[in-house]
Amino acid sequence: MNEPLIVGWAHTKFGKAEAPDTMALMAEVALPALDHAGIAPDAVDGIFTGVYNNGFQRQDFQGALVAMGSPELAGVPFMRTENACATGSAALYAAADFIASGRGKVALVIGAEKMTAIPIADVGGVLLSASYVAEEGDTPGGFAGVFGRITDAYFQRNGDKSEELAMIAAKNHDNGARNPYSHMQKAFDLAFCNTPSDKNPLVAGPLRRTDCSLVSDGAAAIVLAAPEVAEGLTRAIRFRARQQAGDMLALSRRDPTEFAGAHRVWRQALDQAGLAISDLSLVETHDCFTTAEMIEYEAMGLAPRGQGWRVIREGTTRIDGALPVNPSGGLKSRGHPIGATGVSQHVMAAMQLMGDAGGMQVPGATLAGVFNMGGTAVANYCSILERAR
């Protein structure tokens, strides 16, 4: 098998975009990513598009929209993936398998979402379609309500950790303020994040607004190439590991505070890479809510179950800590356009490994972990990346 390498990328600023739809957003990154890689459009063997949609816009058949916005790519075979909030990683892994199998040598991966074109009151209902609707589809507060219940359950077992959640929020907002692609480029201190107020109200259960990721538009693209193609290009990032693990969709059929699928995929990825979590230089993880990042500390092996809150209190995951987590600001500050997120996380990690991360750069970064999940740790993807050139 020819394991692919990441050879180029492009990224829009996340936020409320002037682009009216995903077709326009994807056009902003498709050709720029190829240009960054030094690859001509006619060399692309396959296009892999990740868009969740499911009600954000009337137009679907999203894979076909890439060539509509970038006619230079007309005639290239394409496909579209959907795996809830891990939709972008699903597209990336499908493209990687395409190259590894020998079916193609160059693949263009694009993740995108236009979330702000519908009324904000309707967004929660669209996102709840990524839950088990039969049991969770009427949860007050949408997905924030789902995570509010998970947070309540965690607190009942381990004590009120609202301050630790606020520390995660403050960390990620501080990091995101240095990321030019972030939706929210503003730092908030611990006192603000920890204190419910008119500007930071309670949203669901103990979760405040600063504990919740943003409703964002955006797109990100990655170019993958077979080793023989990558040899002649400027940059190359290899997958030291890439793994996927699933879990039950219905929260009633598992312990929602465990993230067992996330724990499994981290073990698989670290074993494949022959590494320990302490060997990594940084991690970009899926902090759709601050509770998710705290539980993911446990899943990745930084703390035993029920003690993820200790990790942020000890400063381990700060940008100057032993293992910086979300130096880009994460979903919390960078934003969370559903289909774009998994691709964006890999772009952020690749920038770190190339030393191109500017003000958010982790000095001497050599190994980066990426964790992206769909739903409440239902579709779990973990990559470990390192610079090949």
Side-chain angles (χ1 to χ4, degrees):
M1 293 176 67
N2 294 318
E3 274 300 310
L5 296 104
I6 297 172
V7 296
W9 52 83
H11 201 293
T12 70
K13 188 181 187 303
F14 285 179
K16 185 174 175 59
E18 293 183 6
D21 50 32
T22 51
M23 186 176 82
L25 285 166
M26 291 190 288
E28 291 184 27
V29 295
L31 297 183
L34 292 170
D35 184 64
H36 187 245
I39 290 176
D42 62 7
V44 177
D45 298 312
I47 298 169
F48 294 79
T49 305
V51 180
Y52 182 64
N53 195 12
N54 204 32
F56 284 126
Q57 56 185 341
R58 181 182 178 190
Q59 176 68 60
D60 219 328
F61 200 13
Q62 295 284 328
L65 297 179
V66 177
M68 288 290 293
S70 303
E72 296 88 340
L73 294 165
V76 179
F78 61 85
M79 65 170 289
R80 179 265 190 98
T81 65
E82 182 276 305
N83 229 4
C85 301
T87 286
S89 290
L92 181 64
Y93 278 35
D97 289 343
F98 172 73
I99 292 176
S101 71
R103 292 186 58 220
K105 294 184 182 298
V106 175
L108 174 63
V109 182
I110 304 178
E113 209 72 62
K114 178 71 180 181
M115 300 177 71
T116 66
I118 66 173
I120 190 68
D122 295 339
V123 171
V126 173
L127 295 179
L128 274 175
S129 62
S131 68
Y132 184 50
V133 173
E135 296 178 1
E136 302 154 24
D138 295 324
T139 303
F143 236 90
V146 172
F147 267 88
R149 292 177 178 177
I150 292 171
T151 307
D152 276 331
Y154 189 96
F155 285 5
Q156 288 169 12
R157 294 183 186 184
N158 305 297
D160 188 328
K161 304 304 176 187
S162 295
E163 185 172 53
E164 286 80 3
L165 296 186
M167 293 172 74
I168 291 172
K171 167 185 73 72
N172 289 346
H173 277 292
D174 187 57
N175 292 347
R178 295 188 288 271
N179 183 352
Y181 300 108
S182 286
H183 183 159
M184 181 67 74
Q185 292 174 311
K186 183 176 181 179
F188 295 109
D189 62 21
L190 175 60
F192 178 82
C193 294
N194 196 39
T195 307
S197 66
D198 290 343
K199 292 185 177 180
N200 188 29
L202 289 168
V203 175
L207 296 177
R208 300 141 297 196
R209 181 176 292 163
T210 50
D211 292 308
C212 308
S213 60
L214 301 156
V215 175
S216 309
D217 308 325
I222 282 175
V223 181
L224 293 180
E228 62 268 30
V229 176
E231 282 180 6
L233 302 177
T234 301
R235 64 190 63 78
I237 304 292
R238 71 166 55 94
F239 289 87
R240 183 79 172 257
R242 56 182 179 94
Q243 292 287 331
Q244 179 187 1
D247 208 340
M248 292 295 291
L249 176 60
L251 291 174
S252 62
R253 302 192 190 185
R254 57 192 171 97
D255 183 343
T257 68
E258 184 180 1
F259 286 17
H263 178 76
R264 190 181 316 117
V265 82
W266 266 107
R267 299 284 69 72
Q268 291 170 351
L270 290 168
D271 287 349
Q272 182 185 0
L275 298 169
I277 190 68
S278 58
D279 293 321
L280 301 184
S281 306
L282 65 119
V283 170
E284 287 288 337
T285 202
H286 192 104
D287 60 319
C288 49
F289 300 91
T290 52
T291 310
E293 181 167 329
M294 180 173 64
I295 297 174
E296 286 157 21
Y297 293 161
E298 301 169 14
M300 68 180 75
L302 290 175
R305 279 200 64 199
Q307 297 185 36
W309 54 274
R310 294 182 180 273
V311 176
I312 186 64
R313 183 160 287 283
E314 293 166 359
T316 301
T317 55
R318 293 179 56 84
I319 200 162
D320 57 354
L323 181 63
V325 172
N326 287 332
S328 71
L331 285 59
K332 177 76 236 11
S333 177
R334 191 177 72 253
H336 185 23
I338 305 301
T341 288
V343 182
S344 170
Q345 289 179 301
H346 285 82
V347 170
M348 294 295 114
M351 290 172 63
Q352 290 281 355
L353 296 174
M354 292 302 299
D356 293 338
M360 56 179 171
Q361 182 68 51
V362 174
T366 57
L367 289 164
V370 177
F371 173 74
N372 181 207
M373 70 181 186
T376 50
V378 180
N380 302 278
Y381 293 80
C382 187
S383 304
I384 297 176
L385 304 177
E386 65 179 350
R387 182 173 177 175
R389 184 170 56 262

